[in-house]
Amino acid sequence: MSEIFRHRLSRDPFALVAAGILVILLFLSVAAPLLATQDPFDLAALDILDSELPPFWLEGADERYLLGTDSQGRDMVSAMLYGIGLSFVIGLLAMLLQLVLGVSIGLVSGYVGGRVDAFFMRLADIQLTLSTLMVAIVALAIFQTAFGAEQFGRYAVLLLVLVIGIAEWPQFARPVRAQVLAEKQKAYVMASQALGLSSRAIVVRHILPNVMMPVYVIAPVQIANAIMSEAMLSFLGLGMPVSQPSLGSLIHSGFEFIFSGAWWITVMPSVLLVVLILVMNILGDFLRDALSHKSHSYY
Amino acid sequence: MTFVVHRLGQMLIVLLVISCFGFAIQTSLGDPLRELVGQAASESEREALREKLGLNDPLLVQYGRFLRGAVQGDLGTSYFHKKPALTVILSKFPATFELVIAATFIIVLVSLPAGIYCAVHPRTFLSRLVMAASIVGMSVPVFLTGVFLIYVFAVQLGGLPSFGRGETVMIGPWESGLVTLSGLEHLILPAITLSSIMLPLFIRLVRGALLEELGQDYVRTAFAKGLPRRRIWLQHALRNASLPIVTIGGLQAGTMIAYTILTETVFQWPGMGFMFLEAVTRADTPLIIAYVMVVGVMFVLINTVVDLLYMVIDPRVSLSGERS
């Protein structure tokens, strides 16, 4: 398995480069506490006199701040290093929540069938029509009104993970359910039933390992989607507060300065965000092609 | 006819669910007393007012009252605008509607030809370029497209306006920006931004659906009969391909409404989405509830229209009986 995988990867330069960039970005974000010259979360470390300094190739740059500073005097390099990590952690946790919810519901729905199945699948339909972003915006807007902005900011990571995680479970549940329906027909399941194993044991020990394939394919794309959702929500002011900058809230905080010439506050985290999402999408495409028998998917 | 009745029944159920949701928000968010009397009132005064407003009634009675109000178009009064919430929302509706229509226009105009081209010539350089560009396009969040367009066309080149609707004209109750030059100028960047996020998806969708049809036997037969290629592509295959396009395209309506919030925020477009975010920052609860309910109704209407479109596209589909 991993043999074939490595072989395929070596023949796909696109995916190889993408994987390389991802590894570098992740390494940078893990090493952020060592690499960053400043703690972007510590308001006391910021000096307002250093605000809106341009990056090093422009006039008026300060050598302490390689890529300039934002409107509060936060070092862009440090903020972005921490920002990647924060965005990625939110994306990863949200995806894991979707995975746990989606795979469990998919397994139960597919194995039990009948009313349970109909209920969950109708629920999935409704949730998909409403669109994740809409659900997330409305839910977070209500939380923010209920708690007030300050309280909201303290729990922003948790709320974002919960909202994005819960809103997208059908993405995992549907393919898993379809796979379970196919596996249920196979002889090994019948054999286990004849042996008198409990449904729980059959589902968890025997069916689950066989339905994980679509999960591996969907996971990276879902991380990318979650990172994108987080960025959009933060941009709307419904995500991470400015005092704890993720990539999205960095872009948000720089947006109003784009007209006054301080474009770097918005543009540099934007580029990083697009690169991060693009890399995950390319890897997702690669995984789909490598793991499925079809060489190309249409959609 | 049965279909219409069936559908209306479904709509009513969905609307009831939405109203429960709206009511739940109303009861859990904000204390109406605080808005009315402030901090100074004594506890007994508060209690009297609470009794008078019916806040001590059982929840079901309160819900009945909420529902009666909602049916009569009374969704409460906006704290900020001091006007009925529904009136505020409906006055913002034309702006959002015109933006969505303009974006849809661009999507159809670009994704159909591009998708068809990529399906009938899948191996040419241009097709590969379009497909590669669509992957990049899907990775760019919609607000970044907006920021980029503003930076290039409004800040650097300075040709196009970057916020607001420009001059508008009242046509009856409808505030339109489509009939003035300035209104149209203001529409260009937001419309491109809103369409940009859906374009990659629709190009892939049109391409995928059409490719699927082009592999079918009836297409081969049509070629064998010597029909002109263009006619096979556009009249035979595309017609059948339009069913999945409309299905999945219709599903995107919800996403589109969500993206209007982002687009309107970037361009300060005075529509419903921008108003909603303002309402959130001002904790204007009645307006938030009214927005959620109006958007809910819009979802139901759009989905009904999509179902009706099926019948037009595919005469075999009959929606009168049970769901298949």
Side-chain angles (χ1 to χ4, degrees):
Chain A
M1 172 82 190
S2 64
E3 224 18 60
I4 303 171
F5 213 70
R6 224 171 294 142
H7 177 68
R8 290 252 196 163
L9 194 60
S10 66
R11 285 184 49 186
D12 190 338
F14 239 22
L16 203 61
V17 172
I21 295 176
L22 182 64
V23 170
I24 294 173
L25 286 180
L26 288 184
F27 173 76
L28 286 177
S29 73
V30 170
L34 299 175
L35 295 171
T37 49
Q38 182 194 68
D39 180 0
F41 301 144
D42 182 10
L43 287 174
L46 309 180
D47 188 348
I48 197 76
L49 291 176
D50 288 337
S51 66
E52 292 180 59
L53 290 171
F56 68 90
W57 63 88
L58 292 177
E59 201 154 320
D62 188 312
E63 58 188 16
R64 284 175 300 159
Y65 307 112
L66 206 55
L67 293 178
T69 56
D70 75 356
S71 58
Q72 296 177 308
R74 194 174 273 124
D75 175 32
M76 287 305 291
V77 178
S78 310
M80 281 176 359
L81 284 174
Y82 279 95
I84 305 173
L86 199 50
S87 289
F88 194 82
V89 165
I90 292 175
L92 188 71
L93 290 178
M95 184 278 282
L96 285 176
L97 183 58
Q98 292 164 16
L99 191 149
V100 171
L101 275 176
V103 172
S104 325
I105 292 177
L107 281 175
V108 171
S109 196
Y111 192 75
V112 177
R115 286 246 173 103
V116 178
D117 187 31
F119 170 75
F120 279 123
M121 286 307 112
R122 188 51 42 81
L123 199 65
D125 282 348
I126 294 173
Q127 208 152 9
L128 287 181
T129 347
L130 287 179
S131 102
T132 318
L133 197 59
M134 198 70 225
V135 173
I137 289 174
V138 169
L140 289 172
I142 290 167
F143 284 140
Q144 203 176 55
T145 322
F147 296 159
E150 208 158 303
Q151 189 90 5
F152 179 84
R154 210 167 305 146
Y155 298 106
V157 174
L158 183 69
L159 287 174
L160 281 168
V161 168
L162 281 179
V163 165
I164 301 172
I166 292 173
E168 289 234 311
W169 64 266
Q171 303 285 6
F172 282 99
R174 285 180 154 200
V176 167
R177 167 189 173 266
Q179 198 81 24
V180 171
L181 287 182
E183 293 295 321
K184 219 163 74 168
Q185 310 294 330
K186 293 190 180 166
Y188 76 90
V189 175
M190 228 182 298
S192 335
Q193 281 165 346
L195 280 172
L197 279 182
S198 69
S199 296
R200 193 198 164 94
I202 298 175
V203 170
V204 174
R205 234 181 292 152
H206 299 283
I207 295 184
L208 181 61
N210 289 314
V211 299
M212 285 305 278
M213 208 56 116
V215 174
Y216 298 135
V217 177
I218 301 165
V221 179
Q222 285 305 105
I223 297 182
N225 283 346
I227 292 176
M228 176 110 94
S229 303
E230 185 277 326
M232 293 203 261
L233 291 165
S234 294
F235 182 78
L236 290 176
L238 297 172
M240 296 305 294
V242 188
S243 54
Q244 294 174 48
S246 68
L247 292 178
S249 51
L250 271 178
I251 298 167
H252 170 68
S253 73
F255 177 59
E256 51 188 303
F257 298 96
I258 195 165
F259 294 103
S260 59
W263 52 267
W264 56 88
I265 309 174
T266 287
V267 172
M268 282 187 301
S270 305
V271 172
L272 206 55
L273 178 71
V274 172
V275 168
L276 187 59
I277 296 172
L278 187 61
V279 158
M280 300 295 298
N281 275 335
I282 290 175
L283 284 178
D285 263 15
F286 164 76
L287 273 180
R288 185 186 61 201
D289 292 349
L291 294 176
S292 66
H293 300 297
K294 266 202 284 183
S295 59
H296 283 286
S297 169
Y298 291 147
Y299 297 104
Chain B
M1 196 57 214
T2 359
F3 164 69
V4 177
V5 175
H6 191 75
R7 205 56 225 210
L8 279 176
Q10 274 185 2
M11 266 171 77
L12 272 179
I13 295 174
V14 175
L15 290 179
L16 267 178
V17 173
I18 297 171
S19 75
C20 284
F21 193 61
F23 177 68
I25 304 172
Q26 194 193 41
T27 41
S28 58
L29 274 196
D31 182 5
L33 284 181
R34 201 180 48 203
E35 304 295 331
L36 287 169
V37 297
Q39 300 291 332
S42 73
E43 194 50 47
S44 59
E45 279 174 315
R46 278 164 193 268
E47 195 49 49
L49 192 59
R50 201 170 279 149
E51 190 62 45
K52 196 175 143 221
L53 288 173
L55 293 174
N56 288 337
D57 294 346
L59 267 187
L60 213 57
V61 177
Q62 290 194 41
Y63 174 63
R65 202 176 304 131
F66 175 82
L67 204 61
R68 199 171 322 132
V71 169
Q72 292 167 352
D74 175 16
L75 293 171
T77 306
S78 158
Y79 298 150
F80 179 79
H81 296 274
K82 308 285 182 211
K83 275 189 279 186
L86 198 63
T87 316
V88 177
I89 291 212
L90 291 183
S91 72
K92 304 281 184 189
F93 178 74
T96 301
F97 186 76
E98 285 178 2
L99 176 61
V100 169
I101 289 297
T104 312
F105 187 68
I106 297 176
I107 292 172
V108 172
L109 222 60
V110 176
S111 72
L112 266 183
I116 293 171
Y117 178 82
C118 290
V120 297
H121 303 294
R123 306 221 172 272
T124 59
F125 176 71
L126 192 59
S127 294
R128 284 167 198 270
L129 193 70
V130 170
M131 295 311 285
S134 76
I135 258 238
V136 177
M138 286 204 291
S139 304
V140 181
V142 65
F143 60 88
L144 283 186
T145 321
V147 170
F148 177 76
L149 288 177
I150 288 181
Y151 189 68
V152 172
F153 291 99
V155 179
Q156 289 296 326
L157 300 175
L160 288 170
S162 66
F163 60 88
R165 277 183 93 190
E167 276 174 51
T168 54
V169 175
M170 293 300 286
I171 305 173
W174 189 276
E175 187 187 7
S176 176
L178 293 177
V179 286
T180 64
L181 191 63
S182 131
L184 287 174
E185 267 182 356
H186 281 79
L187 189 58
I188 297 175
L189 292 184
I192 294 178
T193 304
L194 183 56
S195 62
S196 72
I197 193 74
M198 310 297 253
L199 262 181
L201 187 103
F202 273 85
I203 292 175
R204 288 174 155 237
L205 185 60
V206 171
R207 173 184 174 273
L210 195 56
L211 264 181
E212 192 103 19
E213 290 300 325
L214 290 177
Q216 302 286 328
D217 285 345
Y218 74 89
V219 171
R220 202 179 52 189
T221 312
F223 272 116
K225 280 199 301 189
L227 289 179
R229 292 196 302 174
R230 205 168 277 268
R231 200 168 145 200
I232 301 174
W233 291 335
L234 298 184
Q235 283 185 8
H236 293 230
L238 189 62
R239 176 158 184 139
N240 287 322
S242 57
L243 202 60
I245 297 175
V246 169
T247 315
I248 302 181
L251 275 180
Q252 299 304 315
T255 320
M256 187 98 156
I257 296 180
Y259 284 132
T260 60
I261 302 181
L262 280 154
T263 311
E264 288 178 3
T265 307
V266 173
F267 291 96
Q268 300 182 18
W269 187 261
M272 290 164 53
F274 188 47
M275 179 220 71
F276 174 65
L277 270 193
E278 279 181 330
V280 171
T281 41
R282 289 173 186 145
D284 196 341
T285 322
L287 212 47
I288 297 176
I289 296 167
Y291 178 82
V292 172
M293 295 194 58
V294 167
V295 165
V297 172
M298 273 160 57
F299 272 122
V300 176
L301 287 179
I302 292 170
N303 280 319
T304 313
V305 169
V306 169
D307 279 356
L308 285 173
L309 268 179
Y310 284 167
M311 285 205 287
V312 179
I313 294 167
D314 189 346
R316 290 171 308 172
V317 176
S318 118
L319 294 159
S320 50
E322 260 98 79
R323 315 179 41 101
S324 53

